[in-house]
Amino acid sequence: MHGEILPGHALTLRGIGSEFGVSMTPAREAVRRLVAEGALTLSSSGRVATPELTNDRIEELAALRALIEVELSSRALPRAHMALIDRLQAINNSVAERVAQKDAVGYIRANLDFHRALYLRAQAPAMLAMAETVWLQMGPTMRQLYGKLRRSEPPHYHRLIIAALKAGDEPGLRLAVRSDVTNGLRLLAS
Amino acid sequence: MHGEILPGHALTLRGIGSEFGVSMTPAREAVRRLVAEGALTLSSSGRVATPELTNDRIEELAALRALIEVELSSRALPRAHMALIDRLQAINNSVAERVAQKDAVGYIRANLDFHRALYLRAQAPAMLAMAETVWLQMGPTMRQLYGKLRRSEPPHYHRLIIAALKAGDEPGLRLAVRSDVTNGLRLLAS
DNA sequence: ATTCAAAGAATGTGATCACAAAAAAGCCGG
DNA sequence: CCGGCTTTTTTGTGATCACATTCTTTGAAT
């Protein structure tokens, strides 16, 4: 999910097992779960690797993020108190820090923390699980792309999200979330 | 997915294995995958059972269906030719047949076939997979609820969907799909 | 130097086993 | 007849193994 593994990287059951000090059996179960969630791909011969997403697939996943996360933010809005906004502010500072340090994995992790903190307020566990499944599928690709972007500025739309939350502005919040989710990915698919 | 197993039904690895003539290992992997997709729940002691959904969870899943399937139908619309509409018509007849026979499992299967046939035209495999994951989570509960409803009339909104497809009416299609997806579940959560 | 085939190594699969935890059954006293 | 305790059975977990398949490397011939 955090892009620690690049797209197309192959994994072996015995390798995972020895990496975590267990036998093949638990490694197999973990891999099977991640394959079911789309975080790993299973070749016809049973080999396992991180997915290499096509542009079409990236566009699809971005559209899914927009659909689900806009809804989640909309449901979180009426429950968002000052404590949450402060927390989002703090996480956003952490995001900016990672950007300044050019720490791609840390940036992705902090960015997702920002979104998760907001969506948790929606009290919609099934929707949040869906969103995280999408994140999981995009993890390796996001890392690769943010590595290419070499962005130096902190995310612009996060401040718009916070502002809309403060103002209780639902249309503005929906637009800001949709923009934040799609803009980062739209330009890399081209 | 088709509601052949009622909510809360417990399953054992050895039972599944012997049912399909395999050992525990493949049964475990299949169960783990289904747990990852939310089709089965895993108790703290490792016991596995079909999920018993709360009303909140049902509402959430219905909202997810509305979000994803409306988008899928919208993407399928420009690619929908006459052959597809004929096929949908035929499947819908099959749905009506199952309703008349009070065959709950057959009804659910035919109903999902109807939706899948439409969404396949969207050329959006990740979105379709998400929709099917939601179907999987609702399977047992849908069966229980349609058993209670004892409906005798074929689905009304399916004809609206077909009509909107013929007319190339996107707003009408989106509304029809949303209604078909939510109305069936909205009344049972109350 | 390149290509193709054969030998070798590595990998996933399904099965089986021992063990600990949990559920179920049995038993006894009230 | 019922509740609480003990015993028995059931169940999931992790490990190991044999085997077939696949991938990789090696070697030789052109």
Side-chain angles (χ1 to χ4, degrees):
Chain A
M1 183 185 287
H2 300 142
E4 292 167 29
I5 311 179
L6 288 177
H9 189 261
L11 299 170
T12 65
L13 298 183
R14 288 175 175 87
I16 296 169
S18 68
E19 182 178 347
F20 293 93
V22 296
S23 76
M24 292 173 55
T25 313
R28 246 202 294 189
E29 293 187 7
V31 162
R32 283 307 229 260
R33 170 179 168 184
L34 290 168
V35 168
E37 294 184 272
L40 296 173
T41 59
L42 196 62
S43 82
S44 59
S45 66
R47 250 77 174 191
V48 150
T50 47
E52 299 183 277
L53 304 182
T54 63
N55 282 353
D56 281 351
R57 182 59 69 107
I58 292 173
E59 188 276 331
E60 233 189 297
L61 293 174
L64 273 170
R65 281 197 66 178
L67 281 174
I68 297 170
E69 298 189 30
V70 164
E71 175 72 17
L72 277 167
S73 70
S74 178
R75 289 179 180 224
L77 178 57
R79 303 171 187 265
H81 302 324
M82 222 17 158
L84 173 64
I85 293 174
D86 288 343
R87 229 170 85 72
L88 291 177
Q89 198 69 261
I91 297 176
N92 203 28
N93 292 337
S94 166
V95 174
E97 221 172 287
R98 311 294 169 172
V99 171
Q101 294 171 353
K102 300 195 184 306
D103 173 9
V105 171
Y107 165 75
I108 294 175
R109 190 197 318 266
N111 187 37
L112 296 184
D113 280 349
F114 179 89
H115 286 267
R116 190 184 292 106
L118 173 58
Y119 305 150
L120 273 172
R121 275 296 197 287
Q123 303 275 52
M127 282 190 188
L128 181 55
M130 284 281 168
E132 295 204 314
T133 296
V134 179
W135 297 349
L136 210 49
Q137 295 183 35
M138 303 202 323
T141 300
M142 283 187 70
R143 154 75 176 285
Q144 195 179 42
L145 293 168
Y146 281 103
K148 285 181 184 171
L149 287 191
R150 287 267 167 236
R151 67 189 304 171
S152 54
E153 69 229 3
H156 172 57
Y157 292 108
H158 281 195
R159 279 188 305 211
L160 290 185
I161 291 172
I162 292 174
L165 281 173
K166 275 183 182 162
D169 172 16
E170 190 192 331
L173 178 62
R174 298 177 74 97
L175 180 62
V177 170
R178 162 170 281 126
S179 303
D180 184 55
V181 162
T182 55
N183 273 35
L185 294 165
R186 198 74 71 182
L187 57 95
L188 64 80
S190 58
Chain B
M1 184 185 288
H2 300 141
E4 292 167 28
I5 311 180
L6 288 176
H9 189 263
L11 298 170
T12 65
L13 298 183
R14 288 176 176 85
I16 296 169
S18 69
E19 181 178 347
F20 292 94
V22 295
S23 77
M24 291 173 58
T25 311
R28 246 202 295 190
E29 293 187 8
V31 161
R32 284 307 231 261
R33 171 179 168 184
L34 291 169
V35 168
E37 295 184 273
L40 295 173
T41 61
L42 196 62
S43 84
S44 59
S45 66
R47 250 77 174 190
V48 150
T50 47
E52 300 183 276
L53 304 182
T54 64
N55 282 353
D56 281 352
R57 183 58 69 106
I58 292 172
E59 188 276 331
E60 233 189 297
L61 293 174
L64 274 170
R65 282 198 64 178
L67 281 174
I68 298 170
E69 298 189 28
V70 164
E71 176 72 16
L72 277 167
S73 70
S74 178
R75 290 178 180 226
L77 178 57
R79 304 170 186 266
H81 301 324
M82 222 19 157
L84 173 64
I85 292 175
D86 288 345
R87 229 171 85 73
L88 291 177
Q89 197 70 262
I91 297 176
N92 202 29
N93 291 337
S94 165
V95 175
E97 221 173 287
R98 311 293 169 173
V99 171
Q101 295 170 355
K102 300 196 184 306
D103 173 9
V105 171
Y107 165 75
I108 294 175
R109 189 196 317 266
N111 187 38
L112 296 184
D113 280 348
F114 179 89
H115 286 265
R116 189 184 293 108
L118 173 57
Y119 305 151
L120 272 173
R121 275 297 197 288
Q123 302 275 53
M127 282 190 188
L128 181 55
M130 284 282 168
E132 294 202 315
T133 296
V134 178
W135 297 350
L136 210 48
Q137 296 184 35
M138 302 201 325
T141 301
M142 282 187 70
R143 154 74 177 286
Q144 195 180 42
L145 294 169
Y146 281 103
K148 283 181 183 169
L149 286 192
R150 288 269 165 234
R151 69 191 302 173
S152 53
E153 67 229 5
H156 173 57
Y157 291 108
H158 281 196
R159 279 188 304 210
L160 290 184
I161 291 172
I162 293 174
L165 281 173
K166 275 183 183 164
D169 172 17
E170 190 190 332
L173 178 63
R174 297 177 75 97
L175 180 62
V177 169
R178 161 168 282 126
S179 302
D180 184 54
V181 162
T182 55
N183 272 37
L185 294 165
R186 197 73 71 180
L187 57 95
L188 62 81
S190 59

